[in-house]
Amino acid sequence: MSPPGKGPGTGTTAAENTPLLGIGAAATRAGVSERALRYYQQIGLITPCACTPAGTRRYSEDDLARVARIRQLQALLGFNLDEIAVILRSEDRMAQIKRTYHHEHTSDAERRELVRESLQWHRDLRATVEAKRLAIEGFLTDLDARIARSSELLAQMTAPA
C-alpha cells in the first residue's frame, strides 16, 4: 500500500509532482550502494515512499534526505546503525508530536502531555549523544597519552649523548 498522496508505480508523488527514483538512481544520488538502501529498508531505517506493482522500489527527495541523515549520524557522530535507529525513531516521534500539537483540535491538556513527552524524548536523545561524546573524549585522552609517550621516547632517542 502506498503512503497518502503517492501512487504505486506512478513515478511521481501526487502532492509534489516530483519524480521518484528507482533504486539505482537513488543510491547514486544518496552516495550509497543499492545494497545499502536495501539493508536500510530491511532493518527499518527507511521505507521507500512507493513501490511499483512489480515491487520495484521508488524513492522521493524525503527518502534521500533520510539516507543523508543516516550517513551524517554515521560520519559526524560515529553512531552505529542500531544507535541511528533509536535516533530516527526519536526524530520521527518528535515530528509526529509537532504535527499533533499544532492540530486545531488538540486540547490544551493534550498539548501539555505532548510537551512532556517531547521533553523526555529530547532528554533521552541528549543522553545518547552525551554517552558517545564521553566515549570519544576517553579515546582522545588515550591518544594524547600515547602521543606523549611516543614524543618522549623520540626525544630520548634523539638527545645528544
Side-chain angles (χ1 to χ4, degrees):
M1 181 171 181
S2 297
K6 297 177 182 178
T10 62
T12 62
T13 59
E16 302 167 13
N17 201 28
T18 56
L20 299 178
L21 302 172
I23 193 166
T28 299
R29 288 264 314 274
V32 298
S33 66
E34 292 179 26
R35 184 175 179 195
L37 283 181
R38 287 186 191 98
Y39 186 64
Y40 292 167
Q41 181 181 359
Q42 179 185 348
I43 63 174
L45 295 179
I46 63 170
T47 302
C49 70
C51 285
T52 65
T56 303
R57 297 166 177 90
R58 296 289 181 214
Y59 297 87
S60 68
E61 291 299 321
D62 286 345
D63 297 330
L64 297 181
R66 187 156 177 113
V67 173
R69 180 70 171 147
I70 292 166
R71 307 239 327 143
Q72 176 190 41
L73 291 168
Q74 286 176 314
L76 179 65
L77 297 174
F79 285 116
N80 64 43
L81 294 178
D82 290 334
E83 293 166 324
I84 290 170
V86 170
I87 292 167
L88 292 177
R89 276 194 304 273
S90 172
E91 290 176 349
D92 290 346
R93 179 60 185 142
M94 292 302 303
Q96 186 180 33
I97 287 170
K98 186 176 181 179
R99 285 189 304 273
T100 303
Y101 182 93
H102 291 292
H103 191 273
E104 64 185 73
H105 298 295
T106 303
S107 71
D108 288 343
E110 291 169 322
R111 283 190 173 100
R112 275 191 301 278
E113 286 307 309
L114 290 168
V115 171
R116 283 187 184 102
E117 183 182 351
S118 173
L119 180 60
Q120 189 58 52
W121 279 106
H122 285 304
R123 286 178 175 155
D124 292 348
L125 186 53
R126 188 189 190 293
T128 300
V129 173
E130 179 68 10
K132 183 62 76 172
R133 185 186 68 79
L134 291 173
I136 290 170
E137 281 183 10
F139 187 77
L140 286 172
T141 299
D142 182 56
L143 280 176
D144 288 341
R146 291 175 187 213
I147 289 169
R149 284 193 304 271
S150 295
S151 296
E152 190 177 302
L153 179 60
L154 183 59
Q156 291 171 2
M157 295 171 77
T158 57

